[in-house]
Amino acid sequence: MDPFDSASDLAEAVRKRELSPVEIVDTCLARIDRYDPEVGAFVWRNDEQVRSAARRAEQAVMAGGRDLPAFHGVPIPVKDLTQVAEQPATYGTFGVHDTPRTVTEPVVTRLLDAGFLLMGRTNSPDMGLLSTTDNSRYGSTRNPWNLAYSSGGSSGGAAAAVAAGLTPVAHASDGGGSIRMPSSCCGLVGLKPSRGRVPQYVASWEHATVEGAITRTVRDAAALLDVMSVPDNLVMYRAPAPERPFSDEVGRDCGPLRIGLLLDAPTGLPVDPVCAAAAVHTARLLESLGHAVFPVSPRFFSGEAIVGYTQTVLDAALWASPYDRPELAEPHLRYRMERAAGRHSGTYTRAAALLQEESVVVRAQWGRDFDVLLTPTMACPPPLVGTVLAEANADPGGPRLTETQMISFTAVCNITGLPAVTLPTHTSPDGLPIGSQLIGGPWDEAVLIRLASALEELDRWPLRRPESFLG
């Protein structure tokens, strides 16, 4: 077994009895033993449970089981911000106990229904409120391409696990770029679904958070979206059903599209030339495929709306977080909670309403001014390990240059609910992956998958493995 095989290929090999789920799990666990002490992707392991699940999956195959689910016998880790019954969920903080949970969240139920075997939990920053994966409880998750650099966040543990070949795919979530930033840092495909696409009983941060996955290939990204987006009648809202399964969009022609190219950060911060170069490279590839690519200056959110989201909404969200001992949260988060306690509830109501009002204007540009928006994924390369957390804790109320650069192009998709995907289309001079981002119109993951699969075939990625570390 090649540890860098796609989940789809592994599942097919299991169905054909060319590979056993036991062999796949044993290979992954051996690589975790070997590499994760340095990478720091996993915060909790259930080796015996996943081995037992693999043996049961193997027995089902050998018994001639028909109609096996799509990913029967393939392991997947769950991000530490998502609950699974009989597993701890510590949310990357000393402020939450490690008592096993009694609830399994909908996205995990769908992964289990698809045949996945749950294999451990991956690291995240405290409550997911940081663009890198650094915390006081578990330490930092490092980038397998260069251990001195961050894997991004908040799904940095998930991305590092996939990039290092510890798992074929990983569950992730995204509230401001948390699937796309780590995927960009680690040379992976990070598809952020539309709001309401993957069922959630609680969508935090004024419905900005979504559940998803980090993958090595577009085919896996589409197939996982299919299994994760099975509707749930108990959720408050859901995205419109797609015209066809997302897997059927891989390789499908989408005709000539109008693709707007945005190289200036909506935050007004400088964009590193290597990040702009990634988007320009992707623009040229898209032009070669027959699409019209042209510069645009879209309208985004007002300063009042951005401050309302980044401060009022996110500060208040911490009061709904599952802290048992909030006094043990990271200093920058304790500062946020104290700031929120001094605000009038009407301030929050106004901030939430303004985000909804302005989102209508932002979303209207898709289909009218352009079909898809192309941007750098981040405005800076992956930062050094620990620097973003140190910056936040040193001056919790001050400006955070690096973190704001990281989320400059991604957060708008969460506020508006638009789908987006980051693709590993570039590499920095020092060998770090640099992604470019495609943002689709409302509920239009299909066009992103079509474009991404065409680029994947043309540009000869995925990047296979971080040779400098893993060999």
Side-chain angles (χ1 to χ4, degrees), residues 120-158:
R121 299 180 65 81
T122 56
N123 200 16
S124 76
D126 191 326
M127 291 300 162
L129 263 171
L130 203 69
S131 59
T132 58
T133 302
D134 305 286
N135 62 62
S136 298
R137 181 166 190 161
Y138 300 112
S140 297
T141 300
R142 296 173 178 270
N143 193 323
W145 293 89
N146 187 324
L147 296 176
Y149 289 87
S150 172
S151 61
S154 64
S155 305

Side-chain angles (χ1 to χ4, degrees), residues 157-198:
V162 176
L166 312 184
T167 179
V169 292
H171 161 262
S173 57
D174 193 315
S178 293
I179 288 175
R180 290 156 290 154
M181 291 185 292
S183 296
S184 176
C185 289
C186 295
L188 301 167
V189 176
L191 175 60
K192 173 217 171 282
S194 299
R195 177 175 293 149
R197 178 68 68 197
V198 179

